[in-house]
Amino acid sequence: MGLYLGAWILALLTMPVILLAKRRFEECLPVVAIAAMEFLFLGGVFGALRLSVYALAGLALLFCIFAVCRLCRAESERAVFFENFLTPGFFLFLVFVVIMPILCSKLQLYSWDEFSHWGLAAKDMFFSNAMPYRPGSHVTMRSIPPFVTLFQYFFLRLGGSYAEPVIYAAQNLLCVILLLPMARRIERRNWYGIVPLALLIPCLPLVFFQTIGSVPMWIRCSALCWPTVSAAILRTSRRGFLR
């Protein structure tokens, strides 16, 4: 349940970005996801990690209301908004949101790296509602920015209980989100292009490795330079390098 709720929160947070930037869903969702991790990080720094999760949910509701009110007042923007929101990338995202809990339902932590840091960090964060580098934490590599762990914590906290499959599902979903801009070239007139893309993403070893520790460093690099990533996605024209 937490994964589905978190996915809807991210989608709602994306609405005003699509409306104001006039960009497609698959372009804006990675920016929103990384910005959400930064928001959670700031909440953890100021000792309000759990509150920051609920604050994101509240912001999602406010952003949705703002988008709806603006669309009601500006009829000329409705067609453009729905064209950019209900894209093949959006439906591809929904497919992965639905199947990810099923694919990860039997996954468990099993390697030393997971029990020493990657899996332990999310568990420690969930039960303490604090950053894993605090005094008294059992996490070994405290100097590593906990961005992917924050994303996992977000879904764990929304679900209300700790479950190892959720850790894997959250990590894999984040990888899918960061890969969604590949769907940018798919239009309604060539919607069939979503099929090979949907088959390609699960075949990427970078995404669906069985261990928690196989991907996070790449995600952390993306999160640390998120302003550059955001600018590249939002400022690149439709005929730019992503096209």
Side-chain angles (χ1 to χ4, degrees), residues 21 24 32 42 56 64 79 81 87 95 135 141 182 201 211 230 240:
R24 291 165 63 97
V32 170
L42 291 176
L56 275 179
C64 179
F81 172 78
T87 63
V95 169
M141 294 175 279
M182 291 193 302
I201 291 179
T211 63
S230 304

Side-chain angles (χ1 to χ4, degrees), residues 30 33-34 37 173-182 218-219 222:
I34 296 175
M37 287 187 285
L173 185 62
L174 178 57
C175 293
V176 170
I177 289 173
L178 296 179
L179 292 170
L180 268 185
M182 291 193 302
W218 173 70
I219 295 180
S222 299

